[in-house]
Amino acid sequence: MSCRTSQPTTQSAALCRRSTTAIILSALLYLDISPAWSFMIVGGASAPGYAAVTFQRTTSTTMDMLSSATETNSDPLLSPSYDIEPIPVRVGHGFDIHRMAPLQEAGQPVVIGGVEIPHKDQKWRDKDGKYVEPGGIYETQLGVVAHSDGDVIYHSVVDAIFGALTLPDIGQVFQDTDPRWRGCDSSKFMEHAYTVMKGYGYKIGNIDVTLILERPKVANFKPAMKENIVRLLHTTPGRVNIKARTHEKVDSVGELRSLSCHVVLTLEREQKED
């Protein structure tokens, strides 16, 4: 857990803030308050001296529920009545898009491929005139508006795995009206998708990610994103690729009001050992 401030402070003041942050977050986790709401209390407008606070977004209660569903295979959505035929190769496509907004409004930072993206204030287009005149530019730190942590790469990968296996989409399996997934760390969705894929006898063939966002810049963070995908899906670097491009300042993505992602992947049938 870390606390970062935008301006230098004395050592004693910094220590005091870190201690206060730890006490507040411990109390929130004990009370099982939504992690997204916790972020707003500690790192948003209510605490102007803090630029950001990072912490584990998934409560133990949520993890217990997810583990239980995985172990017992109790989710009928992932156990269809028809046979998922053991063909050698399957192809899946996933897509996700999320709104971006000023950090104090979104309540959580920009997390992509499991990496929190630090950035300077960005020129966000205020279409509705919440902060400046309608259509004007508002310079601000950005966050992602989502029920979970809004990780477009992880969501697209999970959607592609489910699609390749002819299973329902991620929105049906992890519904955005379900309080269990509020502020959830999307790596847990990836782990669940891996378990489902493995259960049907498949492994990753290859993954091709296309991330689309105007700002913030992410080129320096792509290696860490790739490493996270390789680790979570138990594959190798030569099977995972991440590309990123802008939207040429067109539409909501080009105006920094959203970000999106496409993923195409193949699944290979695992060879049974003699």
Side-chain angles (χ1 to χ4, degrees), residues 31-197:
L31 294 172
D32 202 21
I33 294 175
S34 165
W37 176 236
S38 305
F39 181 87
M40 290 188 70
I41 293 174
V42 180
S46 298
Y50 292 85
V53 176
T54 59
F55 57 94
Q56 183 64 38
R57 295 179 294 276
T58 306
T59 66
S60 58
T61 302
T62 298
M63 281 308 302
D64 289 344
M65 292 177 177
L66 187 56
S67 297
S68 177
T70 301
E71 291 169 2
T72 61
N73 198 25
S74 60
D75 191 343
L77 288 172
L78 301 176
S79 302
S81 57
Y82 55 84
D83 290 334
I84 296 181
E85 301 171 19
I87 57 179
V89 177
R90 289 179 171 272
V91 179
H93 171 261
F95 171 77
D96 194 34
I97 184 169
H98 281 293
R99 289 197 304 115
M100 288 201 297
L103 182 59
Q104 66 268 26
E105 178 182 337
Q108 57 186 6
V110 178
V111 176
I112 307 173
V115 180
E116 184 175 333
I117 309 298
H119 57 276
K120 62 182 181 181
D121 287 357
Q122 300 293 317
K123 295 180 178 180
W124 179 79
R125 179 77 65 179
D126 189 357
K127 182 180 179 182
D128 299 322
K130 290 184 178 180
Y131 305 95
V132 295
E133 69 279 359
I137 298 298
Y138 179 59
E139 295 196 16
T140 179
Q141 287 283 300
L142 295 174
V144 175
V145 179
H147 185 66
S148 65
D149 64 3
D151 193 323
V152 292
I153 287 184
Y154 281 0
H155 294 181
S156 297
V157 171
V158 171
D159 211 30
I161 291 174
F162 287 167
L165 294 168
T166 71
L167 298 172
D169 60 70
I170 186 174
Q172 290 178 266
V173 179
F174 302 108
Q175 297 182 18
D176 62 9
T177 56
D178 191 330
R180 291 179 297 174
W181 316 131
R182 179 71 176 172
C184 184
D185 182 337
S186 294
S187 67
K188 308 310 173 188
F189 302 158
M190 290 277 281
E191 291 170 354
H192 190 54
Y194 171 77
T195 300
V196 172
M197 174 184 69

Side-chain angles (χ1 to χ4, degrees), residues 249-268:
K249 299 183 179 180
V250 175
D251 297 334
S252 64
V253 175
E255 294 175 349
L256 281 66
R257 294 186 292 111
S258 67
L259 74 166
S260 63
C261 181
H262 288 271
V263 167
V264 177
L265 58 74
T266 59
L267 303 183
E268 297 177 353

